[in-house]
Structure formats: structure tokens, C-alpha cells
């Protein structure tokens, strides 16, 4: 067992902070979980101990590591796991995030994607750290429910996954996305840019560019909101 | 002029941190702005000085207050303004937030509401501090574009605004909100609960209870996403 240190991006392992994401981790990927720490004051040990025992995961109690790893006071369970990479499902809808910069946003987008039934996320680097405990917490553990894959460029992503109809979300997108005209396609990839910069104009030609209608009184929608509205429309429009 | 102190909730004034929200403040409510501080290293003084001069707002340069007030390094403009309360427009759509707990979420919801053309927000206390600089920053200054009113209870809100069709967003809502069945009403109030607790069951009878369809793989959507999807559907469904 490696000594317990505060998380850094370069680690090949990471932590889940809190009972809820730790449960999701164990249920989704038991084989990568190295250990679970439970604080001695945690009152709901039984179910998580049972799950760990079933999956042959060591359960440890060492209260002093909690303040080392977590800056939240209400963290009573910590999971330690090896980072992993997936490949995406070629026949399922994707969300592609180009250079997402904020870990909280990235986690919220993952939670939203899973909520909408989209289980494949492409991440174009540079990109916020998917395995930072903050991202995981913000995803409410939904990270462990989907497949993710990192790419050096959008082109690299498209070369691997060519069958998808691509929709790029841009403030200057050519097509205003309304309920009535939302494209009907089963195999789509919804592409969103960085929080500050958006997608550059080269993405106008990467597929069908769309913009979510919004009042002139805001500069733009928050990226998580744009993903929420876009994902809802594309997953519900044809039902 | 009062001495410059780090913001506290009990103050009857607050701060905008950054050029963008300060512009929005001055454009929306010039009469409440007491002063604007501009850091000596700020490179884009001219337009904000011109606006302040036009509105007869004192412009001050005192670099040492910046690290006192702001924890962000990229803050070069600070506005000081008196807090204010509005009354809502009785004939316009509302969003009502029951006990929102997180300032970042509250700001994002305000930005989203304005983006969807909803300019009236009811806040049921206890509630996150609307005027905390963090809320304002997260709203991207959209706070100054809408009307807000605090209420001690949802009943108090309804007694003042009785004409709205009320839609309560609840995980156990009776009506699944789909694109095809989104209610068509011009005067609506969309009601959302606290991040952790949601709306209690008494809200099942406060109007029409609705739930946003979501996969069983998430506990719930983030409240900001729920507001985004709900507000988009209600503002676009009948066009």
C-alpha cells in the first residue's frame, strides 16, 4: 500500500471522498479499488463493509488520514482506486468536451450526461482533471457509470469515431436549436467548448453548428446549462 | 464613505468583483453605486471611467483594497453598492426558489433565468446570500438585470402573486415533463427546492407537480440543470 498523500494530478491513483461516490466506485469498478477507509465515527458502516467484503476490498480505519486527504468536514469514507481509461462505444451517442477547464463543471456535466442516458464522454486535452476528487464529488459518483476517453485533438476523436452526426454548440452556430427543429438522429455527438473561449470557428464546419436561443441580456449560458438543455433535447425530441 | 472591509452578510452594502459585473451593476442600477475602485494596473480604464463620469459615480484608485476584498488575483475593478429589494412583476413569468443553499448555484440560476428571458425571481428564506460577491460573480452580473423578492414562506409568495400557474419540480412529481406534453401557459411560476432536500411533499398540491425524466443511474440532476431544462421548455414550448 502506498503512503496516503494529498491528491496530485500526476498520481496514477485517486480518491473518492464520501460514502456516496465510494459506493458508486465499488459498484462500477470493484477491480480497481485498492482500499476503503471508514472513519471511526461513521454510523452507517454495515452496508459499505458488506459490499467491500463481497468484492474482497480491504476496509481500513485510520482517522488521521481524513484531514490529510479531504478539506470537507463531513467526509467519513474514502476510497482509493487506480485511474483507468476506457474506449467509447462506437454505436452510442457521445458528448465531446473540447478543453473543459473547470473541475466542478466537468463533474456536473458527467452527472447530467448520465442523467440523460448518455454514457460516453470524449475529452479533448488540455482538459480539467477527470480524476481529481473534486470532479468526482461534483459528478456525485456518476463518473463511474460512464465511459470516458481522452484525445489530443478533436480530429483524433473523429478519426476513431466517424459514424456520429456531429453537432457543435456555438454562440455563432448557424442553426438556432428549438424544440420544433431539433435534429432527429439516433447516433449523435454533441460538442461543447471551453468555459471562457467556447469553440473556435473551425468547428462551424465540423458538423452541424447549433446555438441555444438566449436573451441578449446574458453573454452566454453556463456550459453545464448548455449541456443540460442540449442533451435533454437530443435525447427526448424523437420520443 | 465607510471603511472598506471584507464582505459580510449583515452589511447593507456589497461589492461587485471584476469589470464585467461592475459594468452590469452601473448599467442596471446606477443610483445605488457608491463608488468604483479601479486598480492602477488595469489596462482598460477608459470605458468604465466614462460610464462612471456619465452616471456621476466616484472613481477611486487604492490598490491595497483589492486583496482585502477579493480572493481572486484577476480582479481589477470593484464596485460598491447599496443592497436593494424589488417587488416582482405580477404579469410576468417567475422562478421561485425554495431555500436555495449554495451561492454558486444561485448565481448560475439567475444567469440562466435571464438567459431564458425570465426576469423575476422569488426567493423563499432561509436562502443563500443573493448579494454575496460570489453569487454576483457566478451570475455574471445578471443579478442586476432581473427583479428579486424575498419571502418568509411559499404561502407568503402565493398570497402576493395569485395569478400564476404553479409548477413544482419534484423527483416524485406526478407529471413527467416531456417536450410533447409541456404545459402551455403564458403566466407560470416554476418552483424548485433546496439542493439537498428538494421540495417537501406539501408541494405536490401547491400546483402541478412535474418531474424531469432522468436515468436511474443518477440520484437527481443538479438544481441548476433542472432549472435550465425547465426554463427552456416553458419559454420555448409554445413558439
Amino acid at each position: 500500500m502506498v503512503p496516503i498523500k494529498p491528491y496530485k494530478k500526476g498520481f496514477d491513483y485517486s480518491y473518492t471522498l464520501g460514502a456516496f461516490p465510494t459506493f458508486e466506485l465499488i459498484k462500477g469498478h470493484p477491480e480497481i479499488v485498492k482500499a476503503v477507509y471508514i472513519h471511526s465515527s461513521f454510523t452507517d458502516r454495515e452496508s459499505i463493509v458488506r459490499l467491500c467484503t463481497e468484492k474482497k476490498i480491504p476496509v481500513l480505519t485510520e482517522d488521521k488520514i481524513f484531514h490529510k486527504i479531504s478539506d470537507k468536514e463531513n467526509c467519513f469514507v474514502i476510497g482509493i482506486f487506480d485511474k483507468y481509461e476506457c474506449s467509447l462505444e462506437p454505436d452510442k451517442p457521445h458528448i465531446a468536451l473540447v478543453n473543459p477547464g473547470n473541475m466542478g463543471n466537468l463533474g456536473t456535466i458527467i452527472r447530467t450526461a448520465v442523467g440523460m442516458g448518455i454514457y460516453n464522454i470524449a475529452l479533448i486535452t488540455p482538459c480539467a482533471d477527470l480524476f481529481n476528487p473534486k470532479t468526482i464529488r461534483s459528478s456525485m459518483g456518476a463518473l463511474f457509470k460512464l465511459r470516458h476517453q481522452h484525445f489530443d485533438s478533436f480530429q483524433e476523436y473523429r478519426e476513431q469515431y466517424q459514424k456520429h452526426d456531429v453537432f457543435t454548440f456555438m454562440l455563432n452556430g448557424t442553426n438556432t436549436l428549438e424544440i420544433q427543429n431539433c435534429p432527429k438522429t439516433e447516433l449523435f455527438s454533441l460538442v461543447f467548448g471551453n468555459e471562457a473561449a467556447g469553440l473556435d470557428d473551425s468547428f462551424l464546419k465540423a458538423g452541424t453548428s447549433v446555438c441555444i436561443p438566449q436573451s441578449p441580456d446574458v453573454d452566454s449560458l453556463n456550459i453545464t446549462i448548455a449541456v443540460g438543455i442540449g442533451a435533454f433535447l437530443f435525447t427526448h425530441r424523437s420520443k
Side-chain angles (χ1 to χ4, degrees), chain A:
Chain A
M1 195 75 196
V2 293
I4 301 299
K5 288 183 273 189
Y7 177 78
K8 283 189 186 158
K9 192 172 182 175
F11 287 1
D12 54 7
Y13 61 93
S14 183
Y15 307 110
T16 50
L17 306 182
F20 192 84
T22 305
F23 264 111
E24 299 294 323
L25 163 68
I26 300 172
K27 285 189 284 183
H29 299 272
E31 72 287 355
I32 61 170
V33 186
K34 301 164 85 85
V36 169
Y37 283 88
I38 304 178
H39 195 278
S40 61
S41 67
F42 188 58
T43 52
D44 195 21
R45 289 178 64 91
E46 197 182 324
S47 53
I48 194 149
V49 169
R50 192 185 320 123
L51 184 61
C52 287
T53 307
E54 184 191 316
K55 304 292 186 186
K56 300 191 171 56
I57 296 165
V59 175
L60 308 169
T61 302
E62 196 179 330
D63 290 355
K64 67 179 183 214
I65 78 151
F66 281 78
H67 76 266
K68 252 194 197 172
I69 306 296
S70 170
D71 56 359
K72 302 262 182 186
E73 302 225 331
N74 60 352
C75 173
F76 298 103
V77 176
I78 292 176
I80 306 180
F81 67 95
D82 287 323
K83 293 180 183 178
Y84 58 98
E85 184 79 1
C86 319
S87 60
L88 304 184
E89 296 170 293
D91 296 316
K92 293 287 169 64
H94 296 173
I95 287 176
L97 304 176
V98 179
N99 313 138
N102 179 285
M103 295 186 289
N105 286 344
L106 180 55
T108 300
I109 289 170
I110 287 167
R111 178 180 174 192
T112 304
V114 170
M116 294 297 134
I118 300 176
Y119 293 93
N120 290 269
I121 299 255
L123 297 164
I124 315 302
T125 57
C127 138
D129 183 5
L130 186 69
F131 283 114
N132 189 297
K134 286 182 193 169
T135 311
I136 297 170
R137 185 188 275 266
S138 157
S139 87
M140 296 286 279
L143 171 61
F144 305 115
K145 299 269 175 89
L146 54 62
R147 305 175 74 87
H148 69 270
Q149 187 174 352
H150 288 84
F151 302 88
D152 289 334
S153 68
F154 185 74
Q155 287 67 30
E156 187 192 329
Y157 161 66
R158 279 298 276 168
E159 280 161 19
Q160 282 194 44
Y161 301 96
Q162 301 181 2
K163 289 193 294 183
H164 289 70
D165 289 328
V166 164
F167 298 90
T168 54
F169 284 72
M170 308 176 70
L171 288 175
N172 58 345
T174 308
N175 308 279
T176 300
L177 192 63
E178 292 284 0
I179 285 175
Q180 293 75 6
N181 70 6
C182 182
K184 288 190 168 51
T185 163
E186 288 308 310
L187 194 62
F188 53 81
S189 174
L190 309 183
V191 185
F192 299 87
N194 168 271
E195 290 87 342
L199 293 173
D200 69 51
D201 282 352
S202 71
F203 284 90
L204 287 169
K205 295 179 180 169
T208 304
S209 66
V210 297
C211 73
I212 297 172
Q214 52 199 256
S215 85
D217 284 322
V218 294
D219 232 35
S220 67
L221 297 172
N222 179 291
I223 184 178
T224 65
I225 305 295
V227 174
I229 292 171
F232 185 87
L233 288 183
F234 274 82
T235 53
H236 288 263
R237 45 117 187 68
S238 60
K239 283 178 187 166

